[in-house]
Amino acid sequence: MAGSTPPPTSEFSVHSCVTLLFISRMASRTTEPCSCDTFVALPPATVGSRVVFGKNSDRPSDEVQEVVYFPAASHKAGDKLECTYIEIEQAAKTYAVVLSRPSWIWGAEMGANEHGVCIGNEAVWGREEVCNNEALLGMDLLRLGLERADTAENALTVLVDLLEKYGQGGNCMESHMAFTYHNSFLIADRKEAWVLETSGKYWAAEKIEEGVRNISNQLSITTRIDREHPKMRDYAKSKGWWDGKKEFDFAAVYSYVNTARMTTSRGRYCDGYKLLNKHKGNITSETMMEILRDKESGINMEGGFMTTGSMVSILPQEPNLPCIHFFTGTPDPDRSVFKPFIFVPNITQLLKTSSPTFGHDDPVKEQPRFLTKPDRRHELYKQHESAAVVMETFKEKGKEMLEQIRKLEKEKISKMESILQNGCLDVNQAVNLFSQSVEEEINTYA
């Protein structure tokens, strides 16, 4: 009965309910694999002297996304690094990072580092055949860029150097079903942003110094190219994609996109572009959260592929102010809490948003891969999963719960705004900032 208290349910029964909801959604719609939207707004499009970054990670709806922190570290010469599928050379020094990632992979869908660099990635396809061979996933490249670069452009250089050396490829889904793609990236810091789009080992990059920019599941760099693979144009000519005479348009040449209609034809890229421009001049972290929650546009995706994690970052241009990164760590930002994280020394480990680890026994590491699929749910995910059942089954109780989590989120945003306005950060509180916010969210589900 609406408004009544739901009966207690076991962890197993809650998970079963969510699985049934997933199956019913899949039966009611056909969802093609696609993923993600990433946004950036720079002055004068934003309120205050800030860069605002945002991303939704759209992944298989039963996939768990975790929020994890790794401190800065030094490494010995000759050290090796095991990524999702392959081993590469380790860097001498890696920066502290906070990541939102599918819990079965080494890399990440989105994240930030201690220097205020943020990166989000997208799946893209085009004329160049996607390589099924195991190499670096785009998500691996993203994490490597964050660990090894202190500016957005330096991260771009790290990514393209690694792309040239190791290539990109491998299954991007924890399943026997192959899901492979090329990658695009939106990279931002306190001063500027870069869009990097790839096709195999070839790539083009566009610099953004003001205004707004978004990327989705299509190539979007056209004739404005600020950096590129040195053989990108020659390769396109050799394939017959470009005659060498017309103005070079990367998206048109390397894919099948009608670039003249990209911002007018209906689709997530176009709708994201319109939403950013609708709020241009007044964009805040809350504005970005609203965009990520938009369901009509499909940016907040539902169905077999859905938004499984979201991120919003505030990057003040004043170097004395901290960058603030908000993560949900749970599916569907419309009923999730954006919780703040600030880089300070000795951060408390994010235990309740970290999934179980299985070491060398992980089915991802064994050959053949993906024979089994372990339970990767972390504590926040489990509690949010239970709350989702309540919200869908008991409308009044669900409405009350949603009001509570939105109130919690507004309180956190207000406190973060106070830090930015007053320039006063309590480092001792920041150490536990994200973990404490997770505890408070879990309490609202009790």
Side-chain angles (χ1 to χ4, degrees):
M1 183 178 292
S4 63
T5 303
T9 54
S10 69
E11 193 173 284
F12 173 80
S13 62
V14 168
H15 196 49
S16 299
C17 286
V18 173
T19 301
L20 288 171
L21 286 170
F22 164 59
I23 293 170
S24 67
R25 285 172 181 161
M26 285 294 286
S28 65
R29 66 172 69 192
T30 300
T31 307
E32 295 182 2
C34 52
S35 58
C36 315
D37 295 271
T38 310
F39 305 87
V40 71
L42 300 87
T46 58
V47 174
S49 183
R50 303 170 186 175
V51 174
V52 182
F53 173 94
K55 173 176 162 65
N56 272 352
S57 171
D58 299 334
R59 300 283 303 169
S61 60
D62 61 343
E63 183 180 78
V64 177
Q65 192 141 158
E66 60 178 352
V67 180
V68 289
Y69 165 77
F70 297 98
S74 297
H75 308 279
K76 298 176 184 176
D79 278 359
K80 299 296 183 181
L81 173 64
E82 188 176 354
C83 300
T84 303
Y85 294 129
I86 68 168
E87 187 177 80
I88 69 170
E89 294 177 8
Q90 179 60 284
K93 177 178 173 58
T94 52
Y95 299 122
V97 296
V98 60
L99 308 169
S100 185
R101 66 178 187 177
S103 55
W104 62 274
I105 70 164
W106 180 85
E109 277 278 288
M110 51 200 169
N113 72 16
E114 61 183 293
H115 294 286
V117 179
C118 299
I119 311 180
N121 89 309
E122 310 289 329
V124 292
W125 296 267
R127 296 178 191 264
E128 183 75 350
E129 187 176 344
V130 176
C131 177
N132 290 323
N133 295 336
E134 292 184 348
L136 289 174
L137 295 179
M139 293 172 277
D140 293 338
L141 288 166
L142 185 153
R143 177 174 172 180
L144 290 163
L146 290 174
E147 288 189 342
R148 300 181 180 195
D150 57 357
T151 68
E153 186 169 10
N154 286 345
L156 167 65
T157 299
V158 168
L159 266 62
V160 297
D161 287 350
L162 289 167
L163 181 64
E164 183 73 22
K165 186 172 183 178
Y166 297 104
Q168 59 179 322
N171 193 357
C172 299
M173 190 157 59
E174 189 183 13
S175 168
H176 289 297
M177 185 174 77
F179 180 39
T180 57
Y181 46 77
H182 304 301
N183 290 269
S184 66
F185 305 87
L186 202 162
I187 312 166
D189 61 22
R190 294 175 184 263
K191 296 181 179 179
E192 63 190 28
W194 285 84
V195 172
L196 168 64
E197 297 183 339
T198 72
S199 180
K201 71 176 183 179
Y202 300 99
W203 56 271
E206 176 187 342
K207 185 178 182 179
I208 300 97
E209 296 181 277
E210 63 178 23
V212 297
R213 185 68 157 87
N214 65 301
I215 59 174
S216 192
N217 296 123
Q218 63 186 67
L219 298 181
S220 63
I221 295 175
T222 57
T223 58
R224 181 182 169 186
I225 301 173
D226 295 297
R227 288 182 58 181
E228 64 186 76
H229 188 285
K231 296 182 179 179
M232 177 190 72
R233 299 180 192 231
D234 290 341
Y235 182 74
K237 283 177 69 176
S238 72
K239 299 290 285 186
W241 301 339
W242 180 54
D243 62 9
K245 298 175 183 177
K246 293 179 182 177
E247 184 178 23
F248 189 86
D249 181 322
F250 180 73
V253 169
Y254 272 84
S255 70
Y256 304 96
V257 173
N258 182 342
T259 57
R261 299 182 57 201
M262 281 197 307
T263 58
T264 57
S265 58
R266 188 66 195 268
R268 285 204 336 272
Y269 174 79
C270 177
D271 287 350
Y273 173 85
K274 289 178 180 177
L275 286 168
L276 279 176
N277 279 278
K278 175 183 176 182
H279 299 287
K280 202 171 180 178
N282 299 294
I283 296 174
T284 64
S285 59
E286 288 184 279
T287 309
M288 193 65 78
M289 291 172 192
E290 289 174 16
I291 291 173
L292 297 184
R293 284 174 166 143
D294 192 274
K295 290 191 175 181
E296 184 179 354
S297 63
I299 289 168
N300 182 5
M301 186 177 284
E302 300 178 285
F305 264 59
M306 71 177 294
T307 301
T308 56
S310 303
M311 169 185 175
V312 169
S313 292
I314 307 171
L315 314 175
Q317 294 191 315
E318 298 93 331
N320 61 304
L321 296 177
C323 295
I324 301 173
H325 312 284
F326 295 87
F327 294 92
T328 61
T330 51
D332 187 356
D334 197 42
R335 55 187 182 198
S336 295
V337 178
F338 282 90
K339 299 167 284 293
F341 176 99
I342 298 175
F343 283 95
V344 292
N346 304 314
I347 286 173
T348 302
Q349 279 299 322
L350 314 183
L351 298 178
K352 295 197 175 181
T353 56
S354 296
S355 294
T357 57
F358 302 93
H360 292 292
D361 294 328
D362 195 309
V364 176
K365 297 297 181 186
E366 296 176 338
Q367 292 285 358
R369 304 191 194 280
F370 310 125
L371 289 180
T372 59
K373 196 170 184 178
D375 185 353
R376 300 185 186 277
R377 294 175 298 159
H378 50 73
E379 183 63 27
L380 176 62
Y381 187 97
K382 292 177 183 178
Q383 297 297 329
H384 183 269
E385 189 176 53
S386 299
V389 173
V390 172
M391 290 180 186
E392 294 209 12
T393 310
F394 303 94
K395 299 301 181 183
E396 289 300 317
K397 181 68 176 177
K399 182 181 178 181
E400 179 184 330
M401 190 176 288
L402 187 59
E403 289 173 353
Q404 289 177 334
I405 64 174
R406 287 294 173 85
K407 180 182 178 183
L408 172 63
E409 181 180 274
K410 285 188 176 294
E411 289 173 356
K412 297 300 176 185
I413 293 171
S414 178
K415 288 180 180 178
M416 296 306 101
E417 185 61 33
S418 177
I419 290 172
L420 294 175
Q421 292 288 345
N422 301 324
C424 184
L425 173 65
D426 186 330
V427 174
N428 293 325
Q429 287 188 355
V431 165
N432 301 304
L433 179 61
F434 187 83
S435 296
Q436 181 61 40
S437 299
V438 170
E439 289 284 358
E440 292 175 43
E441 179 180 359
I442 288 173
N443 288 340
T444 66
Y445 298 145

